[in-house]
Amino acid sequence: MNKKVEVLPDISALVTRGLEVIMSKLSTAIEQRGQFTIALAGGSTPKPLYEAIASQDLPWNKIHIFWGDERYVPPNHPDSNELMARRAWLDRVDIPATNIHPVPTLDGDPATSSAKYEQHLRDFFHCSSKEFPSLDVVLLGMGDDAHTASLFPHTPALKVRDRLITVGNKDENPRITFTYPFINAARSVIFLVAGVNKRPALAQVFAAVGDDFTYPSRLIQPQGELLWLLDAAAGGELPA
Ligand SMILES: O=C(O)[C@H](O)[C@@H](O)[C@H](O)[C@H](O)COP(=O)(O)O
Protein backbone atom coordinates (compact mmCIF):
# COMPACT_ATOMS: atom_id res chain seq x y z
CA MET A 1 0.00 0.00 0.00
CA ASN A 2 1.16 3.43 -0.98
CA LYS A 3 -0.19 5.75 1.75
CA LYS A 4 0.09 9.53 1.50
CA VAL A 5 -1.31 12.25 3.74
CA GLU A 6 -1.72 15.85 2.61
CA VAL A 7 -2.92 18.62 4.92
CA LEU A 8 -4.33 21.63 3.06
CA PRO A 9 -4.84 25.04 4.71
CA ASP A 10 -8.62 25.20 4.28
CA ILE A 11 -11.66 23.68 2.57
CA SER A 12 -11.10 25.62 -0.64
CA ALA A 13 -7.55 24.31 -0.95
CA LEU A 14 -8.77 20.82 -0.05
CA VAL A 15 -11.32 20.89 -2.88
CA THR A 16 -8.77 22.28 -5.34
CA ARG A 17 -6.31 19.52 -4.45
CA GLY A 18 -9.02 16.87 -4.62
CA LEU A 19 -10.01 18.09 -8.07
CA GLU A 20 -6.39 18.06 -9.24
CA VAL A 21 -5.85 14.49 -8.03
CA ILE A 22 -9.08 13.14 -9.50
CA MET A 23 -8.49 14.85 -12.85
CA SER A 24 -5.04 13.29 -13.02
CA LYS A 25 -6.38 9.80 -12.29
CA LEU A 26 -9.22 10.32 -14.74
CA SER A 27 -6.81 11.19 -17.55
CA THR A 28 -4.58 8.22 -16.79
CA ALA A 29 -7.50 5.79 -16.60
CA ILE A 30 -8.99 6.92 -19.90
CA GLU A 31 -5.59 6.87 -21.58
CA GLN A 32 -4.78 3.36 -20.34
CA ARG A 33 -8.23 1.70 -20.22
CA GLY A 34 -10.57 3.89 -22.23
CA GLN A 35 -12.79 4.71 -19.25
CA PHE A 36 -12.76 6.10 -15.70
CA THR A 37 -14.74 4.52 -12.88
CA ILE A 38 -15.31 6.33 -9.60
CA ALA A 39 -17.40 5.60 -6.51
CA LEU A 40 -18.72 8.72 -4.77
CA ALA A 41 -18.98 9.46 -1.07
CA GLY A 42 -22.01 11.01 0.53
CA GLY A 43 -22.20 13.46 3.39
CA SER A 44 -21.42 17.17 3.11
CA THR A 45 -17.65 17.42 2.57
CA PRO A 46 -17.51 16.26 -1.06
CA LYS A 47 -20.31 18.55 -2.32
CA PRO A 48 -18.03 21.46 -3.33
CA LEU A 49 -15.69 18.98 -5.00
CA TYR A 50 -18.58 17.60 -7.07
CA GLU A 51 -19.50 21.16 -8.04
CA ALA A 52 -15.90 21.78 -9.12
CA ILE A 53 -15.81 18.60 -11.23
CA ALA A 54 -19.04 19.68 -12.94
CA SER A 55 -17.27 22.78 -14.23
CA GLN A 56 -14.61 20.72 -16.07
CA ASP A 57 -14.71 19.97 -19.78
CA LEU A 58 -14.43 16.17 -19.71
CA PRO A 59 -15.18 13.16 -21.98
CA TRP A 60 -18.32 12.41 -20.00
CA ASN A 61 -19.18 9.38 -22.14
CA LYS A 62 -16.06 7.67 -20.78
CA ILE A 63 -16.80 8.34 -17.12
CA HIS A 64 -18.82 5.93 -14.98
CA ILE A 65 -20.27 6.95 -11.61
CA PHE A 66 -21.03 4.60 -8.74
CA TRP A 67 -21.75 5.23 -5.05
CA GLY A 68 -19.66 3.75 -2.25
CA ASP A 69 -22.71 3.89 -0.01
CA GLU A 70 -26.29 5.05 0.04
CA ARG A 71 -28.95 5.66 2.61
CA TYR A 72 -31.91 3.32 2.10
CA VAL A 73 -34.23 6.08 0.92
CA PRO A 74 -35.81 6.94 -2.47
CA PRO A 75 -33.53 8.87 -4.85
CA ASN A 76 -35.62 12.01 -4.38
CA HIS A 77 -35.28 11.94 -0.57
CA PRO A 78 -33.28 14.83 0.96
CA ASP A 79 -30.92 12.32 2.62
CA SER A 80 -30.09 10.58 -0.68
CA ASN A 81 -26.40 10.63 -1.62
CA GLU A 82 -27.48 10.17 -5.24
CA LEU A 83 -29.66 13.29 -5.07
CA MET A 84 -26.80 15.35 -3.62
CA ALA A 85 -24.41 14.26 -6.39
CA ARG A 86 -26.99 14.81 -9.14
CA ARG A 87 -27.76 18.34 -7.94
CA ALA A 88 -24.10 19.29 -7.35
CA TRP A 89 -22.69 17.63 -10.47
CA LEU A 90 -24.42 15.06 -12.63
CA ASP A 91 -27.45 17.13 -13.62
CA ARG A 92 -25.09 19.88 -14.76
CA VAL A 93 -23.05 17.86 -17.30
CA ASP A 94 -23.73 15.90 -20.47
CA ILE A 95 -23.05 12.45 -19.01
CA PRO A 96 -25.06 9.57 -20.49
CA ALA A 97 -27.71 8.28 -18.10
CA THR A 98 -26.31 4.77 -18.61
CA ASN A 99 -22.98 5.95 -17.16
CA ILE A 100 -24.63 6.72 -13.83
CA HIS A 101 -24.98 3.63 -11.66
CA PRO A 102 -27.03 4.52 -8.58
CA VAL A 103 -27.64 2.16 -5.71
CA PRO A 104 -31.14 0.63 -6.00
CA THR A 105 -33.18 1.65 -2.93
CA LEU A 106 -36.76 0.96 -4.05
CA ASP A 107 -36.94 -2.81 -3.55
CA GLY A 108 -38.43 -2.48 -0.07
CA ASP A 109 -35.70 -4.77 1.28
CA PRO A 110 -32.07 -3.64 1.81
CA ALA A 111 -30.70 -7.17 1.33
CA THR A 112 -32.42 -7.44 -2.06
CA SER A 113 -31.07 -4.05 -3.13
CA SER A 114 -27.59 -4.95 -1.90
CA ALA A 115 -27.56 -8.15 -3.96
CA LYS A 116 -28.92 -6.28 -6.97
CA TYR A 117 -26.15 -3.63 -6.80
CA GLU A 118 -23.54 -6.34 -6.39
CA GLN A 119 -24.79 -8.12 -9.51
CA HIS A 120 -24.85 -4.84 -11.45
CA LEU A 121 -21.21 -4.22 -10.51
CA ARG A 122 -20.19 -7.76 -11.43
CA ASP A 123 -21.97 -7.44 -14.79
CA PHE A 124 -20.35 -4.06 -15.46
CA PHE A 125 -16.85 -5.30 -14.64
CA HIS A 126 -17.46 -8.75 -16.16
CA CYS A 127 -16.19 -10.46 -13.04
CA SER A 128 -17.04 -13.73 -11.34
CA SER A 129 -18.55 -14.14 -7.89
CA LYS A 130 -15.08 -14.66 -6.43
CA GLU A 131 -13.32 -11.62 -7.88
CA PHE A 132 -13.08 -8.08 -6.44
CA PRO A 133 -13.01 -5.65 -9.39
CA SER A 134 -10.90 -2.50 -9.12
CA LEU A 135 -12.50 0.88 -9.54
CA ASP A 136 -10.10 3.62 -10.56
CA VAL A 137 -11.08 5.80 -7.60
CA VAL A 138 -13.13 5.23 -4.47
CA LEU A 139 -13.80 8.57 -2.81
CA LEU A 140 -14.50 8.37 0.92
CA GLY A 141 -15.41 10.61 3.81
CA MET A 142 -14.96 9.81 7.48
CA GLY A 143 -17.38 10.40 10.32
CA ASP A 144 -16.56 11.67 13.83
CA ASP A 145 -16.83 8.02 14.90
CA ALA A 146 -14.25 6.96 12.28
CA HIS A 147 -16.86 5.25 10.09
CA THR A 148 -16.41 5.41 6.35
CA ALA A 149 -18.90 4.69 3.59
CA SER A 150 -21.60 3.03 5.68
CA LEU A 151 -19.19 0.86 7.64
CA PHE A 152 -20.12 1.91 11.16
CA PRO A 153 -18.38 0.85 14.39
CA HIS A 154 -19.25 -2.58 15.76
CA THR A 155 -21.73 -3.43 13.00
CA PRO A 156 -22.03 -6.74 11.07
CA ALA A 157 -21.04 -5.00 7.82
CA LEU A 158 -17.46 -4.84 9.08
CA LYS A 159 -17.23 -8.64 9.01
CA VAL A 160 -18.41 -9.13 5.41
CA ARG A 161 -15.35 -10.09 3.39
CA ASP A 162 -16.72 -12.29 0.58
CA ARG A 163 -18.96 -9.77 -1.18
CA LEU A 164 -18.70 -6.40 -2.90
CA ILE A 165 -21.80 -4.90 -1.33
CA THR A 166 -23.57 -5.38 1.99
CA VAL A 167 -26.16 -3.81 4.24
CA GLY A 168 -24.82 -1.30 6.76
CA ASN A 169 -26.64 0.17 9.71
CA LYS A 170 -26.57 3.57 11.32
CA ASP A 171 -28.80 3.81 14.43
CA GLU A 172 -31.03 1.03 13.04
CA ASN A 173 -31.34 2.89 9.73
CA PRO A 174 -30.28 0.56 6.89
CA ARG A 175 -27.65 1.64 4.40
CA ILE A 176 -26.18 -0.03 1.31
CA THR A 177 -22.39 0.01 1.34
CA PHE A 178 -19.26 -1.19 -0.36
CA THR A 179 -17.53 -3.76 1.83
CA TYR A 180 -14.05 -2.89 3.00
CA PRO A 181 -12.39 -5.57 0.83
CA PHE A 182 -14.12 -4.11 -2.24
CA ILE A 183 -12.95 -0.61 -1.28
CA ASN A 184 -9.44 -2.00 -0.80
CA ALA A 185 -9.47 -3.46 -4.31
CA ALA A 186 -9.55 0.06 -5.81
CA ARG A 187 -6.57 1.43 -7.71
CA SER A 188 -6.84 4.60 -5.60
CA VAL A 189 -8.75 5.34 -2.40
CA ILE A 190 -9.06 9.03 -1.60
CA PHE A 191 -10.33 10.25 1.78
CA LEU A 192 -11.60 13.82 1.89
CA VAL A 193 -11.85 14.89 5.55
CA ALA A 194 -12.45 18.35 6.98
CA GLY A 195 -13.27 19.89 10.34
CA VAL A 196 -11.81 19.93 13.83
CA ASN A 197 -14.49 17.47 14.93
CA LYS A 198 -12.68 14.76 12.95
CA ARG A 199 -9.39 15.09 14.89
CA PRO A 200 -10.07 12.49 17.61
CA ALA A 201 -11.14 9.90 15.05
CA LEU A 202 -8.15 10.64 12.81
CA ALA A 203 -5.79 10.16 15.76
CA GLN A 204 -7.28 6.71 16.38
CA VAL A 205 -7.27 5.76 12.69
CA PHE A 206 -3.64 6.82 12.28
CA ALA A 207 -2.45 5.24 15.54
CA ALA A 208 0.03 2.40 15.10
CA VAL A 209 -2.19 0.14 17.20
CA GLY A 210 -5.98 0.29 17.45
CA ASP A 211 -9.23 -1.59 17.11
CA ASP A 212 -10.48 -1.77 13.53
CA PHE A 213 -14.03 -2.54 14.59
CA THR A 214 -14.17 0.53 16.82
CA TYR A 215 -12.52 2.73 14.20
CA PRO A 216 -13.60 1.24 10.85
CA SER A 217 -11.58 3.62 8.65
CA ARG A 218 -8.54 1.65 9.89
CA LEU A 219 -9.79 -1.22 7.69
CA ILE A 220 -9.11 0.81 4.55
CA GLN A 221 -5.68 -0.50 3.51
CA PRO A 222 -5.83 -0.74 -0.29
CA GLN A 223 -3.28 -2.65 -2.37
CA GLY A 224 -3.17 0.44 -4.55
CA GLU A 225 -2.84 4.05 -3.48
CA LEU A 226 -4.32 5.49 -0.28
CA LEU A 227 -4.46 9.27 -0.19
CA TRP A 228 -5.76 11.21 2.81
CA LEU A 229 -6.65 14.81 1.91
CA LEU A 230 -7.29 16.76 5.10
CA ASP A 231 -7.90 20.39 5.88
CA ALA A 232 -5.77 21.93 8.66
CA ALA A 233 -8.73 21.91 11.03
CA ALA A 234 -8.89 18.12 10.80
CA GLY A 235 -5.28 17.18 10.22
CA GLY A 236 -3.36 20.00 11.87
CA GLU A 237 -2.12 17.98 14.85
CA LEU A 238 -1.32 14.69 13.16
CA PRO A 239 2.29 13.65 13.60
CA ALA A 240 4.24 14.47 10.40
O1 LIG B 1 -23.51 8.49 3.42
C1 LIG B 1 -22.70 9.15 4.08
O2 LIG B 1 -23.01 9.97 4.95
C2 LIG B 1 -21.26 9.05 3.76
O3 LIG B 1 -20.88 8.21 2.85
C3 LIG B 1 -20.47 9.01 5.04
O4 LIG B 1 -19.56 7.96 5.15
C4 LIG B 1 -19.74 10.33 5.10
O5 LIG B 1 -18.68 10.32 4.15
C5 LIG B 1 -19.21 10.61 6.47
O6 LIG B 1 -20.29 10.50 7.39
C6 LIG B 1 -18.61 12.02 6.55
O7 LIG B 1 -19.65 12.93 6.30
P1 LIG B 1 -19.32 14.51 6.21
O8 LIG B 1 -18.52 14.71 4.96
O9 LIG B 1 -20.69 15.15 6.13
O10 LIG B 1 -18.56 14.87 7.47
Side-chain angles (χ1 to χ4, degrees), residues 41-46 69 71 81 140-143 147-150 175 198:
S44 56
T45 305
D69 74 314
R71 294 85 185 272
N81 289 337
L140 296 173
M142 188 194 72
H147 84 262
T148 190
S150 284
R175 306 273 193 100
K198 304 294 174 76

Side-chain angles (χ1 to χ4, degrees), residues 13 65 137 140-141:
I65 308 293
V137 171
L140 296 173

Side-chain angles (χ1 to χ4, degrees), residues 106-160:
L106 299 174
D107 300 294
D109 169 36
T112 300
S113 299
S114 172
K116 194 181 282 187
Y117 202 42
E118 171 134 359
Q119 192 55 55
H120 178 80
L121 282 151
R122 293 194 177 286
D123 293 346
F124 178 86
F125 286 102
H126 309 293
C127 68
S128 74
S129 61
K130 297 278 181 264
E131 293 172 282
F132 285 83
S134 298
L135 276 84
D136 293 305
V137 171
V138 173
L139 186 62
L140 296 173
M142 188 194 72
D144 301 2
D145 59 358
H147 84 262
T148 190
S150 284
L151 300 169
F152 288 91
H154 302 296
T155 56
L158 300 182
K159 296 183 176 159
V160 177

Side-chain angles (χ1 to χ4, degrees), residues 29 63 83-84 135 144 169 171 207 212 221 223:
I63 297 169
L83 183 64
M84 184 274 275
L135 276 84
D144 301 2
N169 278 284
D171 309 330
D212 296 350
Q221 309 283 343
Q223 287 303 310

Side-chain angles (χ1 to χ4, degrees), residues 16-30 36 38 49-50 52-60 63 89 137 190:
T16 301
R17 181 62 177 142
L19 179 67
E20 182 182 41
V21 170
I22 290 172
M23 290 303 102
S24 169
K25 297 194 181 303
L26 181 150
S27 301
T28 301
I30 291 173
F36 175 66
I38 183 171
L49 172 59
Y50 298 161
I53 297 173
S55 68
Q56 304 301 303
D57 179 17
L58 299 173
W60 296 112
I63 297 169
W89 170 8
V137 171
I190 303 172

Side-chain angles (χ1 to χ4, degrees), residues 4 18 29 43 54 56 89 97 138 153 165 184 202 221 225 239:
K4 288 184 240 167
Q56 304 301 303
W89 170 8
V138 173
I165 307 295
N184 285 340
L202 280 171
Q221 309 283 343
E225 180 186 53

